[in-house]
Amino acid sequence: DNKDAVAKLRVDERQGAAWEKESPQQMYEFSAEDHRIYASIAADKKTGQVQYASLQLNTDQKAQPAKVAKDRAFATARNFLEKYASPSTTLLEWTDFTYKESELPAWVDKSKLPEGFTEHQPREYNFFFYETYEGIPIMDRTYHISVDNQTGNITSFSLATPKDKLDLPDSKNIITKDQALEAFLKNKSPKLQYVWPQYFDQRAPAPILVYAWDYSEGFGYVDALTGEYIIVPSDWDEE
């Protein structure tokens, strides 16, 4: 039970990073004496509003079939949002995110994988919601809620910071998807690369030749109004 777990928590002493001093959020971390329960909270420094919280229970139990149906978990997440979403929120779009166990490559020796790797799978339903305008998601206004599939309790949430109403561009006079794709490929064509696949400490028998995107110059996008390709430089080399 989450209440029993929370009762065992104590505040952790932490040395905040330099960037946290400028952040509008204050971070708090908690753990149980046996370090099997962790929690973290982020609150707005000015208002005290909790904008993120997470509770993690580290157990030795193997993954169990879900006891709580997904639609019931979704109802829990939806009811939570109806109460705590930003007052400026009018429309939300739900994005389904379901964990699917991927099939391992044929060259992976399962007996050499880390102990317990295949036994401990996520035990939460994850629900993502986006604020929308004219049916278009606003990507920096997102909500994430995790619901335990064994208990039906919320184990973590992240709320979009309350903001004023945005003056968003009109989506009527935009280029088509085909025009955007043409502009993208004109500026960002796939590049031939030799890749040697690796899974944990195991490698494929030999390298393979693939076409893949080259992001060495940064990531890019196509302006839907002008059709211009815009590069966002990477900051990998920054200190």
Side-chain angles (χ1 to χ4, degrees):
D1 185 272
N2 284 0
K3 292 183 179 179
D4 293 336
V6 170
K8 300 177 182 178
L9 294 175
R10 61 184 182 181
V11 179
D12 284 344
E13 295 292 336
R14 62 187 302 272
Q15 186 69 35
W19 62 266
E20 291 187 56
K21 295 181 180 179
E22 305 299 327
S23 172
Q25 294 180 330
Q26 178 66 49
M27 291 293 300
Y28 301 92
E29 294 179 352
F30 309 83
S31 67
E33 187 173 356
D34 59 4
H35 301 293
R36 296 175 69 86
I37 306 173
Y38 294 90
S40 58
I41 293 175
D44 187 285
K45 290 180 179 178
K46 292 183 178 180
T47 66
Q49 181 193 34
V50 175
Q51 297 170 342
Y52 166 84
S54 175
L55 178 66
Q56 179 181 347
L57 308 177
N58 294 328
T59 68
D60 296 326
Q61 295 181 348
K62 295 182 179 180
Q64 301 291 329
K67 296 180 180 178
V68 177
K70 189 172 184 177
D71 56 352
R72 177 184 159 194
F74 176 78
T76 298
R78 182 193 59 209
N79 293 340
F80 181 85
L81 271 188
E82 288 177 349
K83 184 175 182 179
Y84 294 108
S86 168
S88 64
T89 302
T90 54
L91 292 174
L92 288 174
E93 177 181 293
W94 168 49
T95 298
D96 189 9
F97 178 84
T98 303
Y99 175 85
K100 294 182 180 179
E101 186 175 357
S102 58
E103 185 175 347
L104 298 180
W107 46 265
V108 172
D109 185 344
K110 295 182 180 180
S111 67
K112 296 180 180 179
L113 291 176
E115 184 178 356
F117 170 74
T118 58
E119 299 174 354
H120 297 276
Q121 303 295 349
R123 53 177 284 171
E124 297 95 9
Y125 293 113
N126 288 286
F127 301 103
F128 294 86
F129 300 83
Y130 299 89
E131 289 189 33
T132 64
Y133 176 70
E134 296 182 347
I136 302 173
I138 306 172
M139 300 308 293
D140 70 335
R141 294 194 173 188
T142 63
Y143 299 82
H144 170 222
I145 299 175
S146 296
V147 179
D148 191 298
N149 65 19
Q150 300 296 306
T151 66
N153 294 326
I154 293 175
T155 55
S156 69
F157 66 83
S158 177
L159 305 177
T161 305
K163 301 173 183 176
D164 296 331
K165 185 177 180 180
L166 292 175
D167 183 16
L168 297 169
D170 194 332
S171 61
K172 293 180 180 178
N173 299 314
I174 60 175
I175 63 174
T176 65
K177 288 184 179 180
D178 288 340
Q179 290 173 321
L181 180 60
E182 182 180 355
F184 183 84
L185 293 177
K186 182 179 179 180
N187 292 273
K188 199 71 176 178
S189 57
K191 180 180 179 181
L192 270 174
Q193 302 176 19
Y194 285 104
V195 177
W196 200 336
Q198 181 172 347
Y199 195 78
F200 285 91
D201 58 352
Q202 300 183 51
R203 281 191 179 275
I208 57 177
L209 184 59
V210 302
Y211 281 103
W213 301 117
D214 178 14
Y215 292 110
S216 59
E217 296 180 355
F219 295 85
Y221 59 87
V222 177
D223 188 304
L225 297 178
T226 66
E228 179 185 3
Y229 182 77
I230 300 173
I231 294 179
V232 180
S234 62
D235 57 358
W236 297 337
D237 296 330
E238 293 184 3
E239 294 295 334

